[in-house]
Amino acid sequence: MRSPPIDLTYLQWLQQQSDDWLAARGLERHALHERQFLPRVILGEYYRDRFLYLVERARDVGFVISVCESCEVTDIAVQSTGIAIHTDSAADPVIVDLVAIATGHLWPEEERASRQYFPSPWTGLMEARIAPCRVGILGTSLSAIDAAVAVVARHGVFHTEDDKTTHFSLHPGSEALEITLMSRHGVLPEADFYCPIPWEPLEIATPAASKRPLRRVATLC
């Protein structure tokens, strides 16, 4: 299944917003660029705008679409006339031929949640008291890194030195802590970054360094 084109990139959409809209979110038009790190709530506004745009495009070509926001589905029942979707916003169910259930995150019931297995960092791991032991984390995504940080934060402290290097010091008694992130492909997410303004001068990839001839060229096949 191919996703329909949304016709505007994130940056193009931002550039179309008014100065008042940008100012209300702490943004300046001249500072917008494609590598900019912005709050996720703004990204959410972009997704919502593009979603509503696609809905209108679909309606223009004859599709009948209803969008119910802040609507909780209370039951789904298969009937002889179709599939009934019951919600908390209507007395009568909606009858359809096919249902696609996109539940997003599924949180386990509190009484069934295990203190040894957490489906995500937000299913109790942030508040859990994890003993210094061997911890396995499935995946190497940003959520996996959140999970690792949630565990180590209970057992040590990160220090930033004057040369901007970062070190981690374990608390006494936490020496047995071991964390392994397990991934099928071993791909790490792109790290969020901070660039001071004005930009600091380059130290390695300087204009002078780029003009020097290469001493050795490696060919990877």
Side-chain angles (χ1 to χ4, degrees):
M1 180 181 294
R2 294 182 58 186
S3 300
I6 58 177
D7 293 344
L8 279 180
T9 66
Y10 190 21
L11 178 58
Q12 290 170 336
W13 178 79
L14 288 169
Q15 291 170 335
Q16 288 189 358
Q17 306 308 312
S18 67
D19 291 338
D20 290 341
W21 188 95
L22 294 172
R25 291 154 180 80
L27 304 178
E28 297 179 349
R29 186 175 303 279
H30 68 86
L32 297 174
H33 59 87
E34 62 182 8
R35 297 287 292 171
Q36 191 171 9
F37 181 76
L38 299 175
R40 289 189 178 184
V41 66
I42 300 178
L43 180 62
E45 291 187 75
Y46 167 67
Y47 285 154
R48 173 180 169 78
D49 178 86
R50 294 295 86 195
F51 169 74
L52 295 177
Y53 165 75
L54 293 177
V55 168
E56 289 304 314
R57 282 189 57 192
R59 286 172 175 164
D60 290 341
V61 296
F63 286 94
V64 178
I65 300 176
S66 298
V67 179
C68 303
E69 299 183 273
S70 300
C71 175
E72 180 181 354
V73 176
T74 57
D75 195 12
I76 299 175
V78 178
Q79 301 178 352
S80 58
T81 56
I83 304 175
I85 303 177
H86 298 263
T87 68
D88 62 352
S89 60
D92 298 322
V94 176
I95 306 298
V96 297
D97 298 324
L98 178 68
V99 173
I101 303 176
T103 57
H105 293 294
L106 284 175
W107 310 133
E109 297 180 9
E110 187 65 28
E111 61 271 15
R112 296 183 181 179
S114 167
R115 295 296 88 187
Q116 293 181 314
Y117 171 73
F118 298 89
S120 83
W122 304 280
T123 54
L125 178 60
M126 296 295 186
E127 299 80 24
R129 295 286 181 179
I130 305 297
C133 60
R134 292 183 298 172
V135 178
I137 297 177
L138 299 178
T140 53
S141 65
L142 286 175
S143 295
I145 294 175
D146 286 339
V149 171
V151 174
V152 301
R154 300 281 187 179
H155 295 281
V157 179
F158 288 97
H159 303 276
T160 301
E161 308 297 339
D162 293 337
D163 61 358
K164 299 183 181 180
T165 58
T166 301
H167 303 278
F168 179 74
S169 301
L170 279 170
H171 292 323
S174 293
E175 292 80 4
L177 179 66
E178 295 181 10
I179 298 179
T180 302
L181 275 66
M182 296 168 280
S183 171
R184 287 180 297 175
H185 304 292
V187 178
L188 293 174
E190 181 179 3
D192 294 339
F193 54 86
Y194 167 76
C195 293
I197 299 177
W199 294 342
E200 295 179 347
L202 297 176
E203 297 179 0
I204 298 175
T206 62
S210 65
K211 295 178 181 179
R212 289 199 297 265
L214 296 175
R215 294 183 178 180
R216 179 183 301 174
V217 177
T219 301
L220 302 179
C221 300

